[in-house]
Amino acid sequence: MARVLVTGGTGTTGKALVRMLRDAGVPVRVASRNPAAGDPDPIRFDWNDPSTHGPALDGADRVFLLPPVESVDPLPQVGPFLRRAERAGVRRLVLLGSAIVLPNAPSAVELAAQVRARPGGVVLRASGFMQNFLRPHPLAEHIRRFGEIRTAAGDGRLGWVDARDIAASAAALLAEVSTDTRSDYLITGPHAMSYPQAARIITAQTGRPVRVEPLTQEEQAAAYRAAGLPPEFAAALAAVEHGIKEGREDQVSTAVLELTGRPPRAFAEFVADHAGEWAR
């Protein structure tokens, strides 16, 4: 029976997507570097080990594609997989891309272009994940420990989106290959929001005072390095925050509503769902 291959199937978006597809009766193969022993159809998948790619694609006619994380140059690893997927007869491929283009990362743009150009290829350009406010993300850890958000984004706004809405959008595209679709969707929440606004919402709904500590771009890059991110990726993320400060990422869309039939969750709803995360 044809199935959906979900790469990154044990991650934040992947787990939600797997659950939604299985609830709809869609066969799913969960691919990850460390497959869950209790899953009914797990398989090992590692971008750095091409020998795992063929077995993962065996019997799959649809693929959810999560590129290597913390990489500014994913195309050398993902490009050969795309060609292999085409030879294997994959009819629908949904790439989880980003609405935010990292500086000095042209291959991410080229990867998205290659997916859009192939029959059945769709790119979901997701805005900032609301799940960044949850542990173990460094942003969430700092809120929990110190009651503050340290950022170089100033009052700049971003169309924060819940990963569950990203997963629901992907599920709508993967459940039925015959679904008429565009090749590109900007996936955001219902409103653009700044970090100071996020801090006020968390404070109001949880009673935990949260303040914003402004940083320079250089200070934020150093903080990301200290949190364990590779230096090149840390510098790129800090540059993104500077772009947010300048208003480059202040955009929202109706794509979640178009794909799923319901509006995306607002940040206040997200905070209500996870209120205990920011306790001292």
Side-chain angles (χ1 to χ4, degrees):
M1 182 183 295
R3 59 168 64 89
V4 178
L5 172 67
V6 177
T7 64
T10 59
T12 300
T13 304
K15 282 194 294 188
L17 173 59
V18 168
R19 183 176 63 254
M20 292 173 189
L21 289 172
R22 286 180 172 164
D23 286 348
V26 179
V28 177
R29 171 173 288 163
V30 179
S32 67
R33 282 183 295 179
N34 300 295
D39 190 271
D41 192 1
I43 194 161
R44 183 174 176 272
F45 183 90
D46 189 338
W47 283 117
N48 294 314
D49 183 0
S51 70
T52 66
H53 300 179
L57 283 165
D58 186 31
D61 69 338
R62 289 155 284 173
V63 175
F64 177 74
L65 186 60
L66 178 70
V69 297
E70 298 182 6
S71 172
V72 295
D73 189 21
L75 192 58
Q77 293 164 296
V78 184
F81 178 85
L82 293 181
R83 294 188 287 273
R84 194 163 197 165
E86 189 167 7
R87 293 194 301 269
V90 169
R91 296 186 294 152
R92 171 63 53 81
L93 191 146
V94 176
L95 170 70
L96 179 54
S98 176
I100 303 169
V101 178
L102 292 177
N104 302 316
S107 86
V109 177
E110 175 59 24
L111 170 58
Q114 288 191 22
V115 171
R116 284 192 295 264
R118 56 166 288 135
V122 182
V123 178
L124 299 181
R125 293 183 293 113
S127 191
F129 282 36
M130 292 181 186
Q131 276 71 12
N132 289 0
F133 288 86
L134 303 179
R135 291 174 288 172
H137 195 279
L139 170 61
E141 290 286 2
H142 212 79
I143 295 174
R144 187 182 66 84
R145 294 177 61 194
F146 304 109
E148 68 178 15
I149 296 172
R150 308 184 75 200
T151 180
D155 291 321
R157 303 194 306 169
L158 186 65
W160 295 95
V161 61
D162 193 314
R164 294 172 292 181
D165 291 323
I166 301 171
S169 301
L173 293 163
L174 291 163
E176 289 290 342
V177 179
S178 60
T179 303
D180 186 30
T181 180
R182 303 198 305 267
S183 63
D184 185 277
Y185 292 89
L186 172 65
I187 305 294
T188 75
H191 311 289
M193 181 186 69
S194 68
Y195 281 108
Q197 287 173 308
R200 289 194 291 270
I201 291 170
I202 295 172
T203 298
Q205 293 204 198
T206 70
R208 172 74 192 277
V210 178
R211 63 186 181 278
V212 174
E213 178 69 24
L215 298 180
T216 66
Q217 181 178 334
E218 293 74 20
E219 289 170 337
Q220 187 64 296
Y224 282 135
R225 291 195 301 270
L229 296 182
E232 187 178 22
F233 190 61
L237 288 182
V240 163
E241 290 201 16
H242 181 71
I244 294 171
K245 183 177 183 178
E246 294 188 334
R248 296 180 208 159
E249 311 300 339
D250 188 352
Q251 53 184 340
V252 295
S253 82
T254 59
V256 172
L257 176 61
E258 294 169 26
L259 287 166
T260 70
R262 60 165 182 76
R265 294 171 177 85
F267 187 70
E269 182 180 353
F270 171 82
V271 172
D273 288 344
H274 303 280
E277 282 287 325
W278 302 283
R280 293 183 186 272

